[in-house]
Amino acid sequence: MADSTQNSTGLIAYILLFAATLLLTISLQETVLKNGIETIFPSYDLITDELPGEWIIMSRDLTPSEEFATHRDQLNDIFYRLRDQEFAPGDRTLNTLRAKKALREYSMNHDQTLYYISPLIAFFPLHLFIAALLAFLISMYLPASTSVAWIRGKLMREYERVGALLHKQFDAHGVDFEQMFKLARREREQLLRFTTLPQVMVTEVEDYIALHNYVERRSRNFLIPLFFYFRYRISSSYGNLIQGLVSGGAAVLIFVIGLRGLKLIPQEEPSLILMALSLEFILLIVLMITFAGSAQEERLDRVVKELEAEQRDAIKHQTDTIQNVLGGAGSGGGVSRSDSISEYEEQRLLDELLSLMIKEAERKRSV
């Protein structure tokens, strides 16, 4: 009961942390975007305080100085009439639409590019991603005793789960797990090669020992907990969900591009397109990180391949022994007899292995 209450408190604290970082990123978006446009796109101006809820991105007026003042007066007159609602007195929406039309005509007459951006629509997926990333990192690296360190607590539970699993497997094969910590990495790998443990255990042992050293403050590599959590929690539990979300993001992007092709989204108002692009970009980044942190193959697949290789070696050794006992292939039928024994033993062992795998899958499904 205490663990459940503590977990709920940590989740609430994490949600509050996420909300705080989200508000922080939204409050900084105007400053960041202005500096970004000035640095990356110096030929454009960002106007944020004229249209309600929308920003104006307009290419700079590069006309000679004697014409620049006239153009600036025309543009300011449009903004004055927009603020005083002179385009449509009494109807704010119609006044804004007519002001947009006047700005569009102005930009066309002076060969300037014009865009209207709704920041909460266009950049909201980016705000969510940045806020979630910051909250995740803060919650990961805070001490486990603090209530905000919800991710840190999940990391420690995963660390304990992997450690308990490794202890059971080492005990089942008669190997002292504690001895692994006292050996250098090359010595550990050499020792594991001469045990009955599958070679996939080498990576798991190294990951566990690396995180153990980090928890005990013997290592300061801050990437270790990230790699461990993504490999043993995110990739194994949410890999299929992330792939499904990427497909869903692609569907949203195709739909929005289709609306743009039907002219339902004007060319100068790309907010929905930016939202769909940023959403798909974020999901692909998450998928890339998930794949980069995951193992090359599923653990069960690698274990099965190693068992098959070991069984084939055992069958070959058994066949050679039978040939030696029977005097080799002295007669004409000796070769076919040994080959038939080898094929029979191989098929029998593979059938038994497949049967065990099917029973295990049915047991997990029933649970």
Side-chain angles (χ1 to χ4, degrees):
M1 185 66 180
D3 292 340
S4 177
T5 303
Q6 185 178 5
N7 189 42
S8 301
T9 304
L11 178 59
I12 294 173
Y14 180 78
I15 292 174
L16 294 176
L17 175 63
F18 169 75
T21 53
L22 180 61
L23 293 176
L24 177 63
T25 58
I26 292 176
S27 64
L28 294 176
Q29 67 177 354
E30 182 176 343
T31 303
V32 173
L33 190 60
K34 276 188 175 181
N35 293 332
I37 289 179
E38 290 178 359
T39 304
I40 303 175
F41 306 104
S43 59
Y44 284 86
D45 283 325
L46 177 65
I47 305 171
T48 61
D49 52 358
E50 298 295 344
L51 288 175
E54 287 186 289
W55 294 347
I56 301 172
I57 298 179
M58 181 180 293
S59 58
R60 292 182 181 272
D61 191 351
L62 302 179
T63 55
S65 57
E66 58 271 12
E67 299 179 11
F68 181 80
T70 303
H71 294 175
R72 180 57 60 182
D73 291 339
Q74 293 176 358
L75 184 61
N76 289 334
D77 179 65
I78 295 175
F79 290 146
Y80 290 147
R81 296 179 64 188
L82 169 65
R83 288 193 291 268
D84 296 339
Q85 298 189 14
E86 294 181 2
F87 289 101
D91 191 338
R92 187 172 183 178
T93 302
L94 184 59
N95 180 76
T96 301
L97 293 175
R98 288 180 176 175
K100 285 184 176 181
K101 181 181 178 181
L103 284 171
R104 189 180 303 112
E105 292 174 353
Y106 169 84
S107 63
M108 292 177 62
N109 292 334
H110 299 89
D111 295 327
Q112 290 180 259
T113 306
L114 177 68
Y115 295 105
Y116 303 108
I117 302 295
S118 178
L120 290 181
I121 295 177
F123 306 118
F124 191 68
L126 288 175
H127 289 309
L128 287 177
F129 175 68
I130 295 173
L133 181 61
L134 290 176
F136 177 86
L137 293 176
I138 293 172
S139 183
M140 169 72 76
Y141 292 109
L142 283 177
S145 57
T146 58
S147 59
V148 182
W150 184 59
I151 300 296
R152 178 79 174 202
K154 296 174 72 68
L155 171 68
M156 297 308 297
R157 286 194 294 273
E158 195 66 22
Y159 164 71
E160 294 171 358
R161 185 192 68 82
V162 173
L165 180 61
L166 290 175
H167 271 284
K168 290 179 181 179
Q169 291 173 324
F170 272 68
D171 291 341
H173 289 264
V175 182
D176 186 4
F177 182 71
E178 299 299 332
Q179 183 183 2
M180 296 293 104
F181 289 91
K182 302 176 182 179
L183 302 176
R185 179 169 183 173
R186 181 174 298 179
E187 295 175 345
R188 281 196 298 269
E189 294 178 358
Q190 188 70 17
L191 179 62
L192 288 174
R193 289 193 184 98
F194 292 97
T195 64
T196 56
L197 288 164
Q199 289 302 307
V200 67
M201 298 286 295
V202 175
T203 303
E204 295 182 359
V205 169
E206 292 302 327
D207 290 341
Y208 179 80
I209 293 177
L211 185 59
H212 176 79
N213 293 333
Y214 179 85
V215 171
E216 297 294 330
R217 298 184 179 180
R218 300 172 188 166
S219 173
R220 295 184 179 179
N221 187 354
F222 65 94
L223 295 177
I224 290 176
L226 289 177
F227 287 149
F228 189 92
Y229 192 76
F230 268 90
R231 174 167 294 179
Y232 295 98
R233 179 63 180 176
I234 301 297
S235 298
S236 59
S237 300
Y238 305 108
N240 292 335
L241 175 61
I242 292 173
Q243 293 186 45
L245 291 177
V246 171
S247 301
V252 172
L253 179 59
I254 292 172
F255 178 75
V256 172
I257 295 298
L259 293 179
R260 173 67 184 89
L262 294 174
K263 307 297 183 181
L264 296 177
I265 300 177
Q267 181 179 359
E268 64 272 8
E269 298 184 11
S271 297
L272 285 176
I273 297 177
L274 289 174
M275 182 199 69
L277 288 172
S278 60
L279 178 63
E280 183 64 13
F281 170 77
I282 290 168
L283 292 174
L284 287 174
I285 289 294
V286 173
L287 183 64
M288 178 196 71
I289 296 174
T290 303
F291 280 164
S294 63
Q296 293 296 323
E297 299 177 86
E298 291 295 331
R299 189 177 189 279
L300 181 59
D301 294 339
R302 289 184 289 168
V303 171
V304 169
K305 288 180 180 179
E306 292 180 7
L307 288 175
E308 287 181 355
E310 292 177 1
Q311 294 295 341
R312 291 179 184 276
D313 292 338
I315 291 170
K316 184 178 182 301
H317 179 71
Q318 184 179 13
T319 302
D320 293 339
T321 303
I322 294 175
Q323 288 179 351
N324 294 332
V325 172
L326 298 178
S331 60
V335 175
S336 60
R337 179 179 179 181
S338 63
D339 289 343
S340 63
I341 292 174
S342 175
E343 292 174 0
Y344 171 77
E345 291 293 334
E346 181 179 357
Q347 186 63 40
R348 182 180 64 82
L349 290 172
L350 291 177
D351 290 342
E352 290 179 359
L353 180 60
L354 181 60
S355 177
L356 290 174
M357 291 175 61
I358 292 174
K359 289 181 180 179
E360 181 67 16
E362 291 177 349
R363 185 186 66 80
K364 291 182 178 180
R365 186 180 300 174
S366 62
V367 172

